[in-house]
Amino acid sequence: MDNSIEIENLTKIYSGRVTAVDNVSLKIGRGMIYGLLGQNGAGKSTLIKILTGVLKSTSGTARIAGNDLNKDSLKIRRITGVVPQDLTTDGDLSGRENLKLVAELYDIPKKEAEERIEVLLKMVDLYDVRNRHASAYSGGMRKRLELVCGLVNTPEVLFLDEPTLGLDVTTRENLWSYIRSIQKEFKITIILTTHYLDEVDSLADELSIIDHGKIIISGTSEELKKSLNGDIITLKLKNDDEINKIGEFKNATEIKLMENKEIRMKVSNSDEILPVLMKYLSDNSISPESINIRKPSLDEVFIEYTGRNINAEQENKDYAKFMRAR
Ligand SMILES: Nc1ncnc2c1ncn2[C@@H]1O[C@H](COP(=O)(O)OP(=O)(O)OP(=O)(O)O)[C@@H](O)[C@H]1O
Ligand SMILES: [Mg+2]
């Protein structure tokens, strides 16, 4: 498959101090939905801003649909659509007026714009409320409007920066199906950033985990899960003595001490190892407060490669950001 995006050694340092994007190289195939997964402050928005020409990189290059970011920025603006993380639609205008405004920015002839706007409104089921003020839309409706604002110029590549941030689960799933149908209908490449694991698992053909501005690992969700090479057992222990004893357990391929006296153990096959582990615990008088057995999941992948749980403290931050965005 040919590539829609080729990023080479892209770096962004803000005010000479904060390295937000750190030597990122990445290839994204044409026509796929690609997920960039990372926590708050990982550098996702900065990367999107560079790729859409809003920000200049400190160093490095990228090609988007064959166009050089540093040379053909005007062309790139024409062939890309972007739905930024914060709401950009005007609440005092109707859904239809918002789309017309975007069409004017791109100098799309009036008649053509009207036809296209009608198709887009119907596509995300906003046609019946097209004349209602955007401020009167529900959170999900407003996000759908934002989504099609990014499609007015019929882009080849669409960037979605946290498209479902702060929405409830049902509304998020609903939005995913619109994103899928957009990809199918227009056969475009979609790059989406998120810190929702279920979002990349459900939507993305391939993904990269980004942490502290660096790409940590890339692949399909299946490939990343397979790369864990086994199941995960976590044990919550009570004291250092128990921790030291568990460190001697020979049947684990890896044993790590996490925060709060939690042990994270990798085993080739939890069904076989569990009875052995239970005997070891009993023989050594270790009585964990809890034992958890998990098959490979994206949660586990994230912990494996970043050392942290992606959901830690995330929900409060999401809510605060969502309120700000409104
Ligand atoms: N204009 C700016 N000036 C200085 N530092 C910035 C600026 N914008 C972002 N940063 C810093 O760059 C880093 C990456 O921020 P960025 O917004 O790209 O992350 P993100 O992955 O999009 O996070 P979130 O999930 O919160 O949206 C953070 O440390 C942030 O504080
Ligand atoms: Mg962001």
Side-chain angles (χ1 to χ4, degrees):
M1 193 192 327
D2 58 344
N3 294 319
S4 190
I5 297 185
E6 292 182 354
I7 303 172
E8 264 177 57
N9 308 106
L10 213 57
T11 292
K12 173 70 188 177
I13 305 173
Y14 284 112
S15 342
R17 285 184 299 119
V18 183
T19 306
V21 172
D22 193 355
N23 202 24
V24 163
S25 297
L26 194 62
K27 289 188 167 70
I28 297 177
R30 196 177 300 278
M32 63 166 57
I33 300 184
Y34 199 94
L36 290 170
L37 179 71
Q39 280 183 316
N40 286 131
K44 307 180 295 292
S45 294
T46 303
L47 185 56
I48 299 286
K49 283 179 191 161
I50 294 171
L51 295 177
T52 51
V54 175
L55 268 182
K56 274 228 162 304
S57 65
T58 307
S59 59
T61 56
R63 296 181 77 77
I64 298 180
N67 301 284
D68 188 320
L69 191 61
N70 298 324
K71 292 188 197 132
D72 315 314
S73 57
L74 275 180
K75 175 86 191 294
I76 289 180
R77 285 217 183 190
R78 271 208 305 278
I79 58 159
T80 56
V82 58
V83 181
Q85 184 168 336
D86 299 325
L87 294 182
T88 55
T89 47
D90 187 338
D92 292 333
L93 298 179
S94 70
R96 187 165 154 270
E97 286 166 340
N98 267 293
L99 290 165
K100 271 173 78 175
L101 199 64
V102 179
E104 278 166 25
L105 288 177
Y106 282 107
D107 287 327
I108 300 168
K110 219 167 158 215
K111 182 146 189 308
E112 197 184 330
E114 269 174 21
E115 284 168 9
R116 203 176 292 170
I117 286 168
E118 188 178 322
V119 170
L120 292 174
L121 284 166
K122 285 182 176 160
M123 180 158 212
V124 290
D125 297 317
L126 289 177
Y127 190 71
D128 292 345
V129 294
R130 64 191 180 283
N131 294 321
R132 190 186 295 175
H133 275 185
S135 57
Y137 282 3
S138 69
M141 286 157 86
R142 189 82 181 257
K143 275 288 188 185
R144 266 143 60 197
L145 178 62
E146 298 273 328
L147 194 60
V148 284
C149 277
L151 291 169
V152 171
N153 61 327
T154 49
E156 286 178 43
V157 181
L158 177 67
F159 292 93
L160 306 176
D161 198 358
E162 310 235 22
T164 67
L165 180 74
L167 300 174
D168 63 74
V169 178
T170 320
T171 314
R172 291 179 50 227
E173 285 178 358
N174 181 268
L175 216 64
W176 296 346
S177 66
Y178 287 109
I179 293 172
R180 272 190 218 102
S181 61
I182 284 167
Q183 199 282 331
K184 236 184 177 162
E185 177 80 18
F186 298 116
K187 307 211 171 6
I188 55 180
T189 310
I190 298 180
I191 290 92
L192 71 94
T193 77
T194 186
H195 54 256
Y196 294 122
L197 297 159
D198 54 352
E199 191 149 299
V200 278
D201 228 356
S202 160
L203 271 184
D205 300 304
E206 282 183 29
L207 70 130
S208 285
I209 291 179
I210 177 166
D211 198 34
H212 298 301
K214 285 193 169 74
I215 301 286
I216 307 287
I217 189 159
S218 306
T220 65
S221 174
E222 277 318 303
E223 283 165 358
L224 298 195
K225 287 174 196 165
K226 264 201 192 129
S227 77
L228 292 183
N229 259 330
D231 304 338
I232 311 289
I233 301 179
T234 55
L235 304 127
K236 182 121 172 49
L237 301 179
K238 287 195 291 296
N239 53 50
D240 291 345
D241 188 37
E242 289 189 338
I243 290 171
N244 289 335
K245 281 185 192 156
I246 206 81
E248 314 261 300
F249 182 61
K250 296 279 185 288
N251 295 62
T253 49
E254 198 182 300
I255 298 177
K256 268 192 199 155
L257 177 61
M258 309 297 281
E259 287 174 356
N260 301 325
K261 299 195 165 53
E262 192 178 89
I263 292 289
R264 188 165 180 272
M265 184 182 281
K266 242 198 231 175
V267 298
S268 51
N269 181 338
S270 57
D271 299 337
E272 286 168 14
I273 303 291
L274 196 60
V276 186
L277 176 64
M278 295 318 270
K279 181 165 184 318
Y280 185 84
L281 293 177
S282 145
D283 289 351
N284 289 280
S285 316
I286 305 172
S287 47
E289 284 175 14
S290 63
I291 301 181
N292 256 300
I293 299 142
R294 292 197 286 266
K295 296 282 172 189
S297 66
L298 268 190
D299 286 82
E300 294 306 326
V301 169
F302 195 87
I303 296 171
E304 173 80 13
Y305 291 102
T306 68
R308 276 173 288 115
N309 189 324
I310 196 165
N311 294 316
E313 294 176 46
Q314 195 79 53
E315 265 156 32
N316 288 337
K317 284 184 190 157
D318 278 4
Y319 182 71
K321 222 187 300 176
F322 183 59
M323 293 310 284
R324 245 188 290 132
R326 283 166 77 89

